[in-house]
Structures are given as structure tokens and as C-alpha cells.
Amino acid sequence: MNKKETTTFLFQNGRLIDPAHQRDGAFDLLVENGKVARVGKNIPVPVGAEVIDAKGLIVAPGLIDIHV
């Protein structure tokens, strides 16, 4: 039996910074199969999604940390 890994993540309560779309504020971010599926406020939790509480953190989709 194969264990299915979670491929859907919902980041909640973080400060989302997305210069490409002129967003900087409190937004949820839904990632499905490694791609941003939705950005918005109060996104409903999809069945089987892993919820990540990003309170006090910055969420910056698409930015790369050049220090790594």
C-alpha cells in the first residue's frame, strides 16, 4: 500500500508580500501540487490539505533566498 503524501498546503495568518501582484498584507496562500493555486482572505481549507499557521511570519511566494 502506497502512502499518499500531502500535496496541498494552506498558509494562514501570515503577512504575504508579492511585489509582482502588488500585494502586501494579511492573506492566505493555497499551494496545490507545488504551484500557487489561490491567494485571498479566509480561503476555505480543502479536504486533505495541510494547514500551516504563518502567524508572525512573512510569506513570499516566488521569491528566492539568495543566501541559501
Side-chain angles (χ1 to χ4, degrees), residues 47-65:
V47 174
E50 181 176 341
V51 177
I52 299 168
D53 184 4
K55 185 176 183 177
L57 302 174
I58 293 175
V59 180
L63 296 181
I64 299 170
D65 183 354

Side-chain angles (χ1 to χ4, degrees), residues 11-18 23-28 54-61:
F11 296 84
Q12 295 178 323
N13 306 315
R15 175 182 173 196
L16 185 125
I17 299 175
D18 182 4
R23 290 188 182 116
D24 183 353
F27 292 94
D28 293 345
K55 185 176 183 177
L57 302 174
I58 293 175
V59 180

Side-chain angles (χ1 to χ4, degrees), residues 32-54:
E32 293 177 327
N33 298 316
K35 297 185 182 196
V36 175
R38 187 171 170 198
V39 175
K41 296 188 183 259
N42 302 312
I43 296 175
V45 179
V47 174
E50 181 176 341
V51 177
I52 299 168
D53 184 4

